[in-house]
């Protein structure tokens, strides 16, 4: 007896180990999937890198007003007049500092870079919404296929029993060979739909695995975790388009291009830069032979400049560099090209706003239409179920046969699949509308 118990226990352990991973996996709620997708998605990392790059470019231009310090030395041998090394006199040690002080074009470029940084942030937000929509839509579709697969497996058992029963009736001469072929066709259709459901579910699990970092075999949906979509706000396509991150990014891009064009024009304006330099000159570069210090000397013959034997090694210059552009035809052409880019960006922003406004209106109408189609599909499914119950009652009374039952089961299966497809299309349209109205993240992750 003990041996039999141990053997039975061993069989249970082996069966548990050999169970498919999807049966052992714990359901993952939608909110967890979305959170993991936001932290693991490749596209989100790319958008974050673009945002960091734009912010760094803005700081780079803004820091042009902070003096840049550089130190070094310009050592060299001089024969005759001490020539310069890279624009500076030979020196044992030197320090230079320079920065923008009054530069109208730079000010416009800095504001344009700030607008570019805002564009990157808005694009990152739009990409975040795209990730949420992709994750939620894939999750809802996977839930559809999982539910369909469970339903089809029950249908397969019934189809297999029906096929066996018809085969017996064909042998007995009650049914024809055609009836037997139809029974096999019915079972084959169920198997085809099962393979279709398995394939679609595997592809979606792999996609969610890449997005979330979870193992594909560990992803199992929890349909109850999908929140009901809120009621769409009052119809105002223009207001919705203005709040759309993609439209806001286009508007900010147009603003950046305008500011950049203004900067190109203001390159022709006067500018002032701060500059300073200190140099410790050497005594072996012949400076004392060409730059001879002198001072006034009063003698009986009059006042003269007297040569002194002092040599000034420490030298410093602090001041400003003032530029007045007089003529620059090349720069004028660049400014005109920048004006054209700004006009193009403005028109693109208007086109983006119009497109989002039209898409929002289309989604509103699509949601209303699909909601009506969902109601129809729901009623048709309920009628098919009641028809199946009626056939079962007639069979019990002996007034219906197996073929009537198979037709009723097929009708229920078809109506169930139709209802699932319409429900998913409705959910997809609702997700698109939530993204367009800016409520998608709040719906998926809850209020912050």
């Amino acid at each position: 007896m003990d041996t039999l118990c141990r053997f039975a226990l061993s069989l249970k352990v082996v069966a548990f180990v050999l169970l498919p991973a999807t049966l052992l996996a714990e359901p993952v709620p939608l909110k967890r999937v979305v959170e993991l997708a936001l932290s693991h998605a490749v596209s989100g990392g790319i958008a974050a890198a673009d945002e960091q790059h734009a912010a760094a470019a803005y700081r780079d231009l803004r820091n042009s007003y902070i003096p840049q310090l550089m130190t070094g030395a310009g050592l060299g041998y001089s024969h005759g007049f001490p020539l310069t090394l890279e624009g500076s006199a030979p020196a044992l040690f030197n320090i230079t500092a320079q920065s923008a002080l009054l530069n109208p074009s730079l000010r416009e470029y800095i504001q344009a870079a700030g607008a570019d940084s805002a564009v990157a942030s808005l694009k990152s937000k739009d990409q975040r919404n795209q990730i949420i929509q992709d994750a939620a839509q894939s999750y809802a579709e996977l839930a559809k296929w999982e539910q369909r697969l469970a339903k089809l497996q029950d249908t397969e058992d019934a189809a297999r029993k029906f096929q066996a029963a018809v085969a017996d009736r064909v042998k007995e001469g009650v049914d024809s060979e055609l009836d037997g072929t139809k029974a096999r066709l019915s079972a084959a259709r169920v198997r085809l739909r099962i393979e279709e459901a398995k394939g679609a579910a595997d592809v979606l699990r792999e996609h969610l695995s890449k997005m979330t970092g979870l193992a594909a075999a560990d992803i199992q949906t929890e349909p109850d975790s999908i929140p009901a979509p809120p009621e769409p706000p009052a119809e105002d396509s223009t207001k919705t388009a203005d709040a759309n991150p993609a439209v806001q990014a286009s508007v900010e891009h147009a603003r950046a291009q305008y500011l950049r064009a203004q900067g190109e024009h203001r390159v022709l304006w006067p500018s002032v830069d701060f500059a300073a330099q200190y140099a410790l000159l050497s005594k072996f570069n012949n400076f004392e032979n060409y730059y001879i210090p002198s001072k006034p000397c009063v003698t009986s013959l009059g006042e003269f400049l007297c040569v002194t034997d002092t040599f000034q090694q420490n030298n410093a210059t602090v001041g400003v560099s003032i530029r007045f552009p007089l003529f620059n035809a090349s720069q004028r052409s660049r400014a005109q090209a920048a004006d054209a880019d700004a006009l193009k960006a403005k028109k693109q922003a208007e086109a983006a706003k119009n497109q989002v406004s039209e898409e929002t209106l289309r989604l509103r109408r699509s949601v209303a239409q699909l909601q009506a189609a969902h109601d129809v599909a729901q009623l048709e499914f309920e009628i098919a179920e009641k028809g199946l119950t009626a056939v079962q009652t007639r069979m019990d009374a002996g007034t219906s046969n197996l073929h009537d039952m198979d037709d009723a089961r097929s009708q229920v299966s078809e109506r169930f699949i139709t209802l699932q497809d319409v429900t998913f299309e409705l959910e997809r349209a609702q997700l698109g509308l939530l993204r367009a109205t800016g409520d998608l993240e709040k719906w998926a992750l809850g209020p912050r």
Side-chain angles (χ1 to χ4, degrees):
M1 188 66 180
D2 293 340
T3 303
L4 289 176
C5 291
R6 285 195 297 269
F7 180 71
L9 181 60
S10 300
L11 286 178
K12 290 181 181 179
V13 172
V14 172
F16 180 80
V17 171
L18 295 179
L19 275 175
T22 54
L23 297 179
L24 299 176
E26 185 175 341
V28 185
L30 173 63
K31 183 177 180 181
R32 179 60 178 162
V33 167
V34 171
E35 290 172 345
L36 289 173
L38 288 173
S39 60
H40 286 83
V42 175
S43 56
I46 294 173
D50 289 340
E51 188 175 355
Q52 292 175 3
H53 181 273
Y58 167 72
R59 292 193 300 270
D60 177 32
L61 286 174
R62 186 189 61 187
N63 292 340
S64 297
Y65 287 101
I66 301 175
Q68 302 176 16
L69 297 177
M70 184 176 294
T71 184
L75 301 176
Y77 171 74
S78 296
H79 178 72
F81 186 83
L83 303 175
T84 63
L85 294 174
E86 295 185 347
S88 300
L92 298 175
F93 175 74
N94 62 60
I95 298 177
T96 59
Q98 60 181 4
S99 67
L101 197 60
L102 179 61
N103 193 320
S105 63
L106 179 60
R107 184 171 62 250
E108 299 297 327
Y109 290 146
I110 291 174
Q111 292 180 3
D116 285 336
S117 181
V119 169
S121 298
L122 289 167
K123 286 185 175 179
S124 180
K125 181 180 180 180
D126 187 57
Q127 185 61 50
R128 180 182 176 88
N129 288 337
Q130 173 62 39
I131 293 170
I132 294 174
Q133 183 180 6
D134 188 7
Q137 185 171 300
S138 299
Y139 187 92
E141 188 173 5
L142 178 58
K144 179 191 81 169
W145 289 112
E146 286 181 345
Q147 292 173 350
R148 182 176 299 185
L149 186 58
K151 186 76 172 178
L152 287 171
Q153 287 172 345
D154 294 338
T155 305
E156 184 184 27
D157 293 337
R160 190 182 298 112
K161 294 177 182 178
F162 172 72
Q163 181 183 351
V166 171
D168 292 337
R169 289 164 64 91
V170 170
K171 291 178 182 180
E172 295 171 358
V174 178
D175 288 340
S176 64
E177 290 290 340
L178 180 60
D179 292 328
T181 304
K182 288 181 178 179
R184 292 197 300 273
L185 176 60
S186 179
R189 283 174 176 167
V190 174
R191 289 195 297 272
L192 173 61
R193 285 175 176 162
I194 288 176
E195 292 303 321
E196 178 188 15
K198 286 182 178 178
D202 288 342
V203 171
L204 288 167
R205 285 195 185 95
E206 186 65 23
H207 179 61
L208 287 172
S209 174
K210 294 294 190 296
M211 290 188 69
T212 62
L214 295 172
D218 294 338
I219 299 176
Q220 184 178 346
T221 63
E222 185 179 336
D224 293 339
S225 69
I226 303 177
E231 288 294 328
E235 294 188 17
D236 190 348
S237 299
T238 302
K239 184 177 179 181
T240 300
D242 290 336
N244 187 279
V247 174
Q248 291 176 341
S250 297
V251 172
E252 280 297 308
H253 175 67
R255 177 171 169 268
Q257 291 297 87
Y258 170 78
L259 291 170
R260 197 164 283 112
Q262 290 293 99
E264 293 291 345
H265 282 285
R266 294 185 181 184
V267 169
L268 301 173
W269 289 20
S271 61
V272 180
D273 291 342
F274 167 78
Q277 184 176 8
Y278 164 80
L280 177 63
L281 302 179
S282 66
K283 293 185 177 180
F284 52 78
N285 284 110
N286 302 332
F287 286 110
E288 66 276 11
N289 296 332
Y290 295 94
Y291 300 98
I292 303 175
S294 59
K295 65 179 181 178
C297 296
V298 180
T299 65
S300 58
L301 299 177
E303 185 174 328
F304 301 93
L305 290 177
C306 299
V307 178
T308 65
D309 58 355
T310 60
F311 171 64
Q312 183 65 35
Q313 283 189 286
N314 295 288
N315 299 270
T317 301
V318 178
V320 294
S321 174
I322 305 175
R323 292 183 297 275
F324 293 91
L326 297 178
F327 180 74
N328 191 334
S330 199
Q331 181 58 40
R332 290 186 183 278
S333 298
R334 284 194 291 270
Q336 292 171 356
D339 288 338
D341 290 338
L343 179 60
K344 176 183 176 181
K346 180 181 178 182
K347 296 301 181 182
Q348 288 176 334
E350 292 175 359
K353 182 177 179 179
N354 293 337
Q355 182 180 1
V356 169
S357 179
E358 293 173 5
E359 179 66 14
T360 302
L361 179 60
R362 187 191 67 79
L363 285 170
R364 289 182 188 276
R365 297 296 179 261
S366 180
V367 167
Q369 180 181 348
L370 287 170
Q371 184 63 61
H374 175 270
D375 294 340
V376 171
Q378 179 67 43
L379 291 172
E380 289 178 343
F381 174 66
E382 292 177 3
I383 291 173
E385 282 191 319
K386 291 177 181 179
L388 177 61
T389 303
V391 171
Q392 183 65 53
T393 302
R394 290 198 298 271
M395 277 196 68
D396 294 341
T399 59
S400 292
N401 55 35
L402 287 175
H403 298 287
D404 295 333
M405 177 61 71
D406 181 61
D407 291 339
R409 286 200 186 100
S410 298
Q411 187 75 2
V412 170
S413 180
E414 291 292 336
R415 293 293 181 249
F416 176 75
I417 290 174
T418 300
L419 176 60
Q420 274 201 315
D421 290 338
V422 172
T423 301
F424 174 68
E425 290 302 322
L426 175 60
E427 290 173 344
R428 179 157 56 183
Q430 288 171 332
L431 287 175
L433 184 57
L434 285 171
R435 181 181 176 185
T437 57
D439 297 324
L440 181 60
E441 184 170 354
K442 181 180 179 181
W443 169 82
L445 300 177
R448 292 179 176 271

